[in-house]
Amino acid sequence: MTERPPKWSRELLEWRRRQHMLARQKNYAEAQKIKIIADKLENKEKAALEQSTASLFARKEAQFRQQQQAELQALLKRIDARRKEHIKQRNLDSKRLMQRNRNVQAVLESKQAVESNRIFADIRKNLYQVAYTKAPPPPKSAKTGKKKKSKDVEMESSMKETADFDPAFSDLEDDRNFMEAESKAEPAY
C-alpha cells in the first residue's frame, strides 16, 4: 500500500510556520527552540496516527477473519448436508438393491421348486413304468388254473414283488396315488 503523507494538526503546522519565519529572519536560536517543540509534537502525532492506523487494520483484519469464519461455517454446513444426503441416498439404493435381490431369490426358489417337483414327478412316472414292465406275470389260481382277473390283485402282487426286490419301491402305493393326482392337475409351463 502506498504511503500517503500524514495529515498534521493545525497546531503543528502553526509551529512549523513560526520556525520557518524565524529562520528567514535569521533568528536561529528562537527557530531552534520552536523546532524542538514542533518535532516533539510531530513525533506525538505520528505515534497517534500509527496507533489509529494499527487499530484500523486490526479491526479490518478481525472483520475479514470473521467473514472468512462465517463462510467456512456455511461451507462446512453445506458439505455436511450433502454428505447426509449422499448417505441417505446410498442407504435407499442399498435397500432397493437388497429388495430386488430378495425378489430375484424368491422367483428363482419358486422356479426351482416347480422344476424339482416336475422332475420328481417324471422320475416317479419312469419308476412306475419300470416297475410295471419288469413285474413277473400274475400267479395262476390253483383250483381253476386260470389267471386272476382283478387288476387290483395284479397290481398288488407286482408291487409286493417289486418292493421285495428293491426297497425304493416300498411306497409304491403312495406314489401311485400321487401320480394319479399329478396327472389330473398338470401345471402349465
Side-chain angles (χ1 to χ4, degrees), residues 23-78:
R24 271 189 249 134
Q25 291 173 357
K26 299 192 185 211
N27 191 353
Y28 297 118
E30 279 296 315
Q32 185 64 30
K33 287 179 188 175
I34 291 177
K35 182 180 182 313
I36 292 172
I37 294 171
D39 285 346
K40 284 182 183 177
L41 189 59
E42 185 177 334
N43 287 338
K44 189 177 175 184
E45 284 185 16
K46 263 188 187 176
L49 233 132
E50 285 174 3
Q51 186 179 1
S52 69
T53 306
S55 67
L56 176 72
F57 280 124
R59 262 197 327 269
K60 284 189 176 181
E61 184 182 0
Q63 184 181 4
F64 182 67
R65 285 184 188 275
Q66 187 178 6
Q67 181 184 356
Q68 276 189 329
Q69 195 67 23
E71 288 175 1
L72 180 65
Q73 290 301 323
L75 185 64
L76 289 175
K77 197 182 268 188
R78 202 165 67 213

Side-chain angles (χ1 to χ4, degrees), residues 83-96:
R83 181 181 294 130
K84 285 179 182 176
E85 183 181 328
H86 179 68
I87 289 171
K88 184 179 176 183
Q89 186 64 38
R90 189 175 63 193
N91 288 340
L92 188 65
D93 290 344
S94 175
K95 284 180 184 177
R96 191 177 298 131

